Amino acid sequence: MTSSAPPQHVLDNPFVLDLFSGPGGLDVAAHALDIPSLGIEWDKSACLTRYAAGLDTLHADVSAFRRNSFESLPPEINILAGGPPCQTYSVAGHGAGREALEKVKKFIDRLIAGESDEEIDKGLSRLSDPRTALVLEPLRYAVRATRSPNRDHRPYDVIVLEQVPTVAPVWTRYAEALRDKGLPDGTRYEVAVGVLATETYGVPQTRSRAVLIARRVGLGTPPLPSPTHRAYERKVWNQRATSTGDQVRQPTLDDTGASKARQRGEEAAEHLPSWRSMADALRRPVGTHLGRSASFLVRSNYGSAGNPGRRGVRTDQQPAATVTGRISRFVVFEHLDENIVHEGARFTMNEAGMLQSFPPDYPWSGKAQAQQVGNAVPPAFGMHLLSAALGLPAPDVEVLRKPWQAATEEQRAKLRTHGCGDADHCTDKCPRAEDQVPPPSSRPRRTAPAKR
């Protein structure tokens, strides 16, 4: 639950270890709060973005690094953070997802009981999808910290985790284990768990996330961050293109119901400002040439069931639909004149990043940039999570509107030498994509329902 009590500063020298760090969403949040961070990321392109952004990075498989290189981590790290991949929980409402969740819960109990890594690995090797085990890595790092001579066996002081809502039952079991039983060495935590809407924290999109914030006993009970903006009123603002036969009605910029939604929002939470709109997020920031000045509509590919006329449509006065790797497919319509709209340029990667609350000129690099954007933790949301975890005041996320100071070529080369082993290339110590994700034929399939 959130708290209205004044924040109490928790750590004097916070230092974040960010597992599955992606292109840097949580690290950008830490940077904005003047907190050092180190990210571990297996995807080469995401690492290239991180190097270009000047973020300290290890290009490594999180699991392999824990097994083989944990002792090389800076011993002063005292915050563990991460958002493990969630592919095997995307069908959590069906048999495969439920089975995966139940197996993970049992492994959590085994880790808390102090079972050896060898026995845990042996059990995990029998899972049908190896990715299921990745959600256990934060807990395995927490346990490993208490067994590390390099750290003098010190546990992490703070743990911050986030993922899609279907992972909430895993975080709940994490919370029960950390609070009631503690780590094998006896370290226990006070924990808060919840599912939060990112638009209520200044992120210009509707995106729900399951979060866990834990503090070591003695550092106080952590709150979930208090909302700073109103929740998006979907029933009022959800606008869809409709079809008549094979004809798709093109939406108009006036067909929004804006006044009614604003009125209801004001009545619901007068003390909070409205959620941030796409127009606000994409207005051209000072010091850059990026962004849009004209009004527009966006048609996403969510909920279409293969019918383009059913695709969700939002105006620039609404928050974006959840930004995923499909953001590059969103169709953008702009005004030609008062009564005509036309298909305009689709979102650039910088614009997609701005809808995730990244700085406007963040240096997206490498391949699959849309996927990088979609997979990232929204930095504004990350700022709120870290601030709540550390007892800091509510952050000013407007700092993320400022131009980003990208790494110089010399800085980039130094970061990549540290992260990959070479200034310009990956080396043998870098992970291969095929070692992380099983081939398509081995992935569990969702059985289609029978037609009636």
Side-chain angles (χ1 to χ4, degrees):
M1 58 184 295
T2 59
S3 173
S4 59
Q8 298 293 323
H9 191 61
V10 173
L11 299 177
D12 291 330
N13 297 294
F15 190 160
V16 177
L17 174 63
D18 185 12
L19 308 180
F20 311 100
S21 55
L26 196 66
D27 302 79
V28 170
H31 179 275
L33 296 171
D34 198 26
I35 297 172
S37 67
L38 170 63
I40 302 179
E41 173 57 39
W42 75 277
D43 180 70
K44 176 181 177 180
S45 291
C47 286
L48 293 179
T49 295
R50 294 177 59 87
Y51 297 144
L55 301 176
D56 200 5
T57 303
L58 295 171
H59 184 195
D61 178 284
V62 166
S63 302
F65 190 90
R66 172 184 48 77
R67 288 191 299 268
N68 305 321
S69 305
F70 188 93
E71 294 301 309
S72 67
L73 289 172
E76 59 269 28
I77 289 173
N78 50 15
I79 303 170
L80 178 67
C86 59
Q87 292 95 331
T88 55
Y89 305 103
S90 62
V91 289
H94 301 269
R98 286 196 303 270
E99 182 181 358
L101 287 171
E102 290 307 312
K103 288 180 179 179
V104 164
K105 290 178 182 179
K106 292 179 181 178
F107 278 107
I108 290 172
D109 294 338
R110 291 171 63 178
L111 284 166
I112 290 296
E115 196 166 326
S116 69
D117 281 341
E118 292 75 14
E119 288 300 314
I120 295 294
D121 288 339
K122 186 183 299 183
L124 291 173
S125 68
R126 292 191 284 268
L127 295 177
S128 59
D129 189 338
R131 297 172 299 178
T132 302
L134 295 178
V135 77
L136 294 168
E137 283 300 331
L139 183 56
R140 301 192 76 175
Y141 268 74
V143 172
R144 182 62 186 269
T146 66
R147 298 170 177 170
S148 170
N150 188 45
R151 296 180 54 85
D152 293 327
H153 308 282
R154 288 182 298 103
Y156 296 117
D157 292 313
V158 172
I159 301 173
V160 179
L161 306 176
E162 67 86 43
Q163 244 312 331
V164 294
T166 51
V167 181
V170 177
W171 295 162
T172 298
R173 181 58 65 90
Y174 260 54
E176 293 169 350
L178 293 171
R179 180 178 55 239
D180 300 337
K181 297 181 179 179
L183 300 177
D185 74 327
T187 301
R188 295 170 62 189
Y189 291 81
E190 297 288 346
V191 191
V193 175
V195 176
L196 306 178
T198 61
E199 82 272 12
T200 63
Y201 299 96
V203 179
Q205 66 171 295
T206 51
R207 187 186 191 100
S208 296
R209 307 301 284 178
V211 304
L212 176 150
I213 300 177
R215 291 180 188 166
R216 185 171 49 78
V217 167
L219 297 177
T221 302
L224 295 175
S226 297
T228 56
H229 293 71
R230 298 175 194 160
Y232 172 63
E233 298 288 341
R234 183 178 63 85
K235 291 183 179 180
V236 176
W237 280 94
N238 185 32
Q239 177 184 346
R240 299 179 182 276
T242 58
S243 60
T244 303
D246 294 329
Q247 299 298 317
V248 176
R249 179 178 65 83
Q250 294 297 339
T252 65
L253 293 174
D254 295 328
D255 186 14
T256 65
S259 61
K260 291 183 179 179
R262 290 193 186 99
Q263 182 178 359
R264 292 187 185 183
E266 289 170 1
E267 293 171 354
E270 294 182 357
H271 64 292
L272 293 178
S274 179
W275 28 256
R276 288 189 66 203
S277 67
M278 288 185 279
D280 179 55
L282 298 183
R283 60 185 167 83
R284 292 176 179 169
V286 175
T288 80
H289 64 284
L290 303 166
R292 299 186 181 222
S293 56
S295 57
F296 59 88
L297 285 160
V298 179
R299 186 175 68 198
S300 75
N301 58 353
Y302 297 135
S304 63
N307 184 345
R310 295 178 182 173
R311 292 175 179 173
V313 177
R314 295 190 183 185
T315 76
D316 62 353
Q317 298 304 308
Q318 297 169 262
T322 302
V323 174
T324 70
R326 299 175 182 177
I327 184 67
S328 58
R329 303 181 194 175
F330 286 15
V331 181
V332 180
F333 296 96
E334 298 174 338
H335 257 164
L336 279 176
D337 57 36
E338 183 177 353
N339 299 312
I340 301 176
V341 294
H342 74 114
E343 185 173 333
R346 300 195 178 191
F347 290 132
T348 67
M349 286 305 99
N350 284 104
E351 289 176 327
M354 291 162 75
L355 294 178
Q356 276 275 57
S357 73
F358 275 88
D361 53 353
Y362 197 68
W364 302 101
S365 305
K367 301 177 180 179
Q369 292 182 17
Q371 197 65 47
Q372 291 184 51
V373 174
N375 287 346
V377 177
F381 187 56
M383 289 180 71
H384 281 279
L385 292 180
L386 290 175
S387 295
L390 298 175
L392 304 177
D396 177 13
V397 300
E398 282 299 305
V399 301
L400 298 172
R401 298 280 298 169
K402 298 179 180 179
W404 182 261
Q405 185 64 49
T408 65
E409 185 58 31
E410 181 180 0
Q411 291 169 333
R412 185 209 60 78
K414 184 177 180 180
L415 288 167
R416 188 163 190 183
T417 299
H418 177 227
C420 289
D422 186 274
D424 296 302
H425 303 89
C426 285
T427 64
D428 290 342
K429 79 172 190 176
C430 297
R432 300 181 304 171
E434 57 267 32
D435 294 334
Q436 182 81 23
V437 180
S441 60
S442 67
R443 297 174 185 170
R445 294 185 177 182
R446 175 177 170 180
T447 303
K451 294 184 178 180
R452 295 185 177 181

